[in-house]
């Protein structure tokens, strides 16, 4: 048995060496044919195609994966931007609605306040109206008494105006101030300094620090 196995081993070795030699010869022939421009065997063509495709896939696979990752990243970034834009639009719409409500509320409050102020002023002036009615229907030949009644009504009227914030702009002995006075005439007066108010032609008034009508005055201008 051992002799047979040894014989078989001796026989198998030449076959293996012969196969390797045949493959080497085929490769040499193929290379020679390629150099000469000859035709390439089909089995070698298929082998070369498979090797080329494998190399191509191995080369393009990382690039494709990178491009796919970049596309996914860009898609995710775009989605984030769209979400942020939508949130900003919602915020803008809310602010716009709140501002519109604020304007309506403020306008309504101003109208209500103006109505209350007007009502209070007219309520304070009703006693004056009553006194004027009494003065008009009174039958009296005493002019002094009538004048005294009118003076009392005038005093009441001033009190009502002061109560509601009206103040008289002082001009006597004052220097001209364009914020409170309106100069309609310039006069020479050696006894007075330049820009001093010589005479008040019409009274001016302030309501709670705001000029509602400046005093109309004459101003000294000696030079």
């Amino acid at each position: 048995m051992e002799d047979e196995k040894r014989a078989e081993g001796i026989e198998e070795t030449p076959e293996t060496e012969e196969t390797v030699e045949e493959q080497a010869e085929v490769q040499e022939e193929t290379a020679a044919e390629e150099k000469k421009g000859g035709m390439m065997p089909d089995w070698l063509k298929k082998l070369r195609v498979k090797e080329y495709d494998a190399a191509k896939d191995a080369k393009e696979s990382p690039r494709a994966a990178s491009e796919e990752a970049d596309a996914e990243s860009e898609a995710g970034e775009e989605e984030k931007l769209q979400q942020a834009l939508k949130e900003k639009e919602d915020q803008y719409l809310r602010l716009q609605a709140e501002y519109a409500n604020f304007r309506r509320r403020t306008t309504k409050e101003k109208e209500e306040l103006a109505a209350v102020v007007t009502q209070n002023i007219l309520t304070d002036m009703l006693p004056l109206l009553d006194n004027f009615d009494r003065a008009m229907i009174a039958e009296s030949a005493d002019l002094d008494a009538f004048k005294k009644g009118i003076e009392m009504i005038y005093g009441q009227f001033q009190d009502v105006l002061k109560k509601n914030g009206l103040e008289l702009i002082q001009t006597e002995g004052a220097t001209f101030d364009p914020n409170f006075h309106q100069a309609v005439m310039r006069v020479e007066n050696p006894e007075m300094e330049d820009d001093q108010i010589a005479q008040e032609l019409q009274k001016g008034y302030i309501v709670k620090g705001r000029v509602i009508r400046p005093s109309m005055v004459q101003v000294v201008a000696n030079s």
Side-chain angles (χ1 to χ4, degrees), residues 76-111:
E77 189 68 23
E78 183 178 358
E79 185 178 355
K80 289 181 180 179
L81 292 175
Q82 291 290 344
Q83 183 66 25
L85 179 61
K86 186 176 184 304
E87 291 177 358
K88 292 297 182 182
E89 289 178 351
D90 293 341
Q91 184 179 7
Y92 171 74
L93 292 175
R94 285 195 300 269
L95 289 175
Q96 192 175 29
E98 290 176 1
Y99 179 69
N101 292 334
F102 170 77
R103 287 189 61 183
R104 285 194 295 268
R105 185 171 61 253
T106 303
T107 302
K108 184 178 179 180
E109 289 175 355
K110 287 182 178 180
E111 292 175 352

Side-chain angles (χ1 to χ4, degrees), residues 22-34:
E22 288 177 356
Q23 291 177 356
E25 290 177 0
V26 170
Q27 291 177 357
E28 290 178 359
E29 291 176 358
T30 302
E33 289 179 359
E34 286 180 354

Side-chain angles (χ1 to χ4, degrees), residues 192-217:
M192 303 180 70
E193 297 179 358
D194 288 349
D195 294 331
Q196 190 174 358
I197 295 175
Q199 184 181 0
E200 183 182 60
L201 304 177
Q202 186 181 67
K203 292 181 179 181
Y205 295 96
I206 300 173
V207 175
K208 296 181 179 180
R210 178 178 295 182
V211 177
I212 61 172
R213 189 178 74 180
S215 299
M216 192 178 297
V217 296

Side-chain angles (χ1 to χ4, degrees), residues 1 79 119 132 134:
M1 293 293 292
E79 185 178 355
Q119 180 180 348
F132 271 118
R134 295 189 186 99

Side-chain angles (χ1 to χ4, degrees), residues 98-185:
E98 290 176 1
Y99 179 69
N101 292 334
F102 170 77
R103 287 189 61 183
R104 285 194 295 268
R105 185 171 61 253
T106 303
T107 302
K108 184 178 179 180
E109 289 175 355
K110 287 182 178 180
E111 292 175 352
E112 292 177 351
L113 180 60
V116 171
V117 171
T118 302
Q119 180 180 348
N120 292 337
I121 293 175
L122 294 177
T123 301
D124 292 337
M125 294 184 70
L126 289 178
L128 300 177
L129 184 61
D130 294 338
N131 290 334
F132 271 118
D133 289 337
R134 295 189 186 99
M136 295 298 294
I137 64 175
E139 295 180 1
S140 176
D142 190 349
L143 294 178
D144 291 337
F146 181 78
K147 181 180 178 181
K148 186 177 180 179
I150 295 298
E151 289 175 352
M152 291 178 62
I153 295 173
Y154 180 69
Q156 274 186 307
F157 183 63
Q158 286 183 323
D159 292 339
V160 170
L161 295 177
K162 289 179 181 178
K163 178 182 177 182
N164 288 276
L166 186 72
E167 298 179 19
L168 179 66
I169 296 176
Q170 300 296 328
T171 58
E172 185 176 356
T175 302
F176 174 75
D177 186 347
N179 295 315
F180 301 97
H181 310 130
Q182 180 182 357
V184 295
M185 188 181 301

